[in-house]
Amino acid sequence: MEHSDSTYGFPRDAWDAAKVEARAAMIEVARCEKTIPYTDLARRIGPVLGTHLEPYDPRLWGMLGQISRAEDDEGRGLLTVVVVHKTGDMKPGPGFFDLAKCRGRDTSDIVRCWIEELKKVHAVWRVTRE
């Protein structure tokens, strides 16, 4: 696991700007009680980093982990719960559930875990204006 201060080889200013953009995108969909596909999020933050990001890029996953840990530390839940597969199961990927387990969530039923966390994050951002 990468350290929370890792920029995955990107310049610190670009990495931080991309995290701000990614967080804003996730908050935007959370406020509307929706989700965003990994593909759309990667497309949105790639230009901030000056590169093309694929939805399965480990650097994207690293960024999502950093954002989720920071949001959870602030009591707002795992914000990245709103980032999902575009097709197929339309749920977050396995990395989300690994992080959820490390953060004390019950992942014995991943659908239940996902729905509970999604409801929590939606509720936080529905009423919080940041």
Side-chain angles (χ1 to χ4, degrees):
M1 177 184 286
E2 288 286 329
H3 296 285
S4 62
D5 63 348
S6 176
T7 64
Y8 293 81
F10 290 103
R12 169 62 60 195
D13 60 338
W15 185 257
D16 290 345
K19 282 174 65 174
V20 167
E21 182 66 24
R23 182 177 177 269
M26 290 182 279
I27 290 169
E28 184 181 299
V29 298
R31 283 191 172 137
C32 297
E33 298 186 42
K34 295 183 179 181
T35 59
I36 184 171
Y38 286 97
T39 305
D40 294 357
L41 185 62
R43 190 176 301 128
R44 185 162 167 174
I45 64 173
V48 180
L49 291 169
T51 191
H52 174 77
L53 277 183
E54 293 291 337
Y56 49 81
D57 191 314
R59 299 172 298 181
L60 174 62
W61 304 338
M63 180 181 290
L64 294 177
Q66 290 176 10
I67 293 167
S68 253
R69 284 187 292 278
E71 288 295 303
D72 198 39
D73 288 348
E74 293 297 321
R76 294 186 290 257
L78 300 171
L79 179 59
T80 58
V81 70
V82 301
V83 185
V84 299
H85 296 131
K86 189 171 195 162
T87 59
D89 66 9
M90 300 181 72
K91 294 191 304 270
F96 171 81
F97 295 104
D98 291 344
L99 180 61
K101 185 175 184 175
C102 288
R103 300 297 286 196
R105 296 342 185 251
D106 177 0
T107 59
S108 59
D109 178 339
I110 62 168
V111 172
R112 187 184 71 223
C113 173
W114 175 53
I115 298 294
E116 288 175 1
E117 196 69 24
L118 191 61
K119 285 180 181 179
K120 176 181 181 175
V121 168
H122 282 167
V124 164
W125 289 106
R126 186 173 50 240
V127 298
T128 302
R129 302 292 180 227
E130 185 177 305

